[in-house]
Amino acid sequence: MLTIYVTKDFDQMSQVAAMLVEERIKNCQARKPECVLGLATGNSPTGMYKHLAKAFNSGRIDARRTRSFNLDEYVGLPGEHAQQRALNCNSYGYFMISELFGLLREKFIETCVPYGVLVEQAKLAEELATHPDSFEMQGAGRGKAVVMNGGATGYLREIKEHILDAYQRKIEAAGGIDLQIIGVGGRGHVAFHESGIPFAGNSMLLVKLDDNTIDNAIQDGNFASREESPQYAVSMGAELVYRARTVLLLANGARKTGPVAEALLGDVQSDVPISYGQKYAAEGGEMLYVLDEAAAADVLRARDALRARGYVLVDRRGEAYVKVEDISFARDPKTNRLG
């Protein structure tokens, strides 16, 4: 089933998404001891995370029965060693602490981020240059998946076994992801599954980043130059993302209009990785889109085409909502924790 929620702006998108997530966490925790969330970084989920933190802190849903796995992490962040890289303000672990984990009065059972900070970028680049027979670069675009083959040895084999495969095994050991939250890149990519990287066989990815992805990070002020920007990342691939029982995609702003429409109205293709959601929904997955008015502009002009595909469009723009800036977190005087 594929349902598209259209909202007025970022604030309403955030609240509607949080309500959908909260409802599914409640249902999940009613059925089993813990709920496993897949989490995303970027601007789109930040408002939703504030609403969710309030829901956890009020006791409507139980943080102590929640486990999380993030989609991706950079390789090559500044720092002399893994601890410094993990604490870098541009690491996705740091982002999650700032935007969600640090707001919680009770903490999750466990929070997991792909192990990108454990990879030494300079050593990786050297291994790739000196062992070209150990891997294959896959992808039709500028971003490529570095796929290690059976003959990979040394550092490349360690990355495959202890960074990529180990993260996927950890997700599987937790019973898989119940609810996966994703955003959408400007070219329709999900996490660092860059446009053009094949779907098949790429559950966990080591990615050579698209030049456009690097340039966007510099333009956003995250890194001062290409030399200082990470050149690689570790990421869930679309195949793994869409194994979750429910996938919720957030998109806001005019930059997302084209990719969202193409993903919903075009063919399933690796050039637009989020188009995999069509296949996922057709095979019985619960696919939820939560869009602001700008991101939904082309979708709203294609209502008949959406209906013909069996998609449900829910327009929430006329409803009242809470502005994200009005959400506050006061400290509990007894515990000194945020509430």
Side-chain angles (χ1 to χ4, degrees), residues 214-235:
I214 296 171
D215 290 341
N216 285 341
I218 295 169
Q219 291 170 13
D220 289 344
N222 296 331
F223 305 101
S225 66
R226 292 186 61 83
E227 290 71 31
E228 294 182 24
S229 176
Q231 305 295 306
Y232 297 87
V234 173
S235 176

Side-chain angles (χ1 to χ4, degrees), residues 177-252:
I177 292 173
D178 295 300
L179 170 61
Q180 176 69 62
I181 295 159
I182 62 174
V184 52
R187 300 179 66 194
H189 59 270
V190 55
F192 282 121
H193 188 133
E194 300 273 38
S195 300
I197 292 176
F199 293 133
N202 285 322
S203 297
M204 279 298 297
L205 300 169
L206 172 64
V207 179
K208 177 69 173 72
L209 296 177
D210 188 325
D211 291 343
N212 183 63
T213 301
I214 296 171
D215 290 341
N216 285 341
I218 295 169
Q219 291 170 13
D220 289 344
N222 296 331
F223 305 101
S225 66
R226 292 186 61 83
E227 290 71 31
E228 294 182 24
S229 176
Q231 305 295 306
Y232 297 87
V234 173
S235 176
M236 291 189 203
E239 272 198 338
L240 183 53
V241 169
Y242 290 98
R243 287 181 197 168
R245 295 165 185 87
T246 296
V247 176
L248 184 147
L249 182 148
L250 286 161
N252 62 292

Side-chain angles (χ1 to χ4, degrees), residues 67-88:
R67 186 185 304 271
S68 69
F69 292 90
N70 263 73
L71 288 167
D72 47 10
E73 179 58 283
Y74 280 120
V75 169
L77 287 164
E80 296 176 8
H81 46 70
Q83 185 183 45
Q84 285 189 347
R85 292 191 290 271
L87 292 174
N88 184 279

Side-chain angles (χ1 to χ4, degrees), residues 112-192:
C112 305
V113 176
Y115 316 138
V117 297
L118 299 181
V119 181
E120 300 281 351
Q121 182 169 264
K123 187 175 180 180
L124 168 62
E126 181 182 355
E127 289 287 308
L128 294 175
T130 56
H131 296 87
D133 296 335
S134 296
F135 65 94
E136 175 187 0
M137 300 293 278
Q138 294 186 359
R142 289 175 294 179
K144 304 286 187 182
V146 183
V147 181
M148 270 72 80
N149 58 40
T153 59
Y155 197 53
L156 295 180
R157 186 180 182 88
E158 287 181 25
I159 291 172
K160 182 180 186 309
E161 293 183 352
H162 302 299
I163 305 295
L164 305 179
D165 294 350
Y167 196 70
Q168 184 168 339
R169 287 196 301 268
K170 193 169 181 65
I171 292 172
E172 291 167 354
I177 292 173
D178 295 300
L179 170 61
Q180 176 69 62
I181 295 159
I182 62 174
V184 52
R187 300 179 66 194
H189 59 270
V190 55
F192 282 121

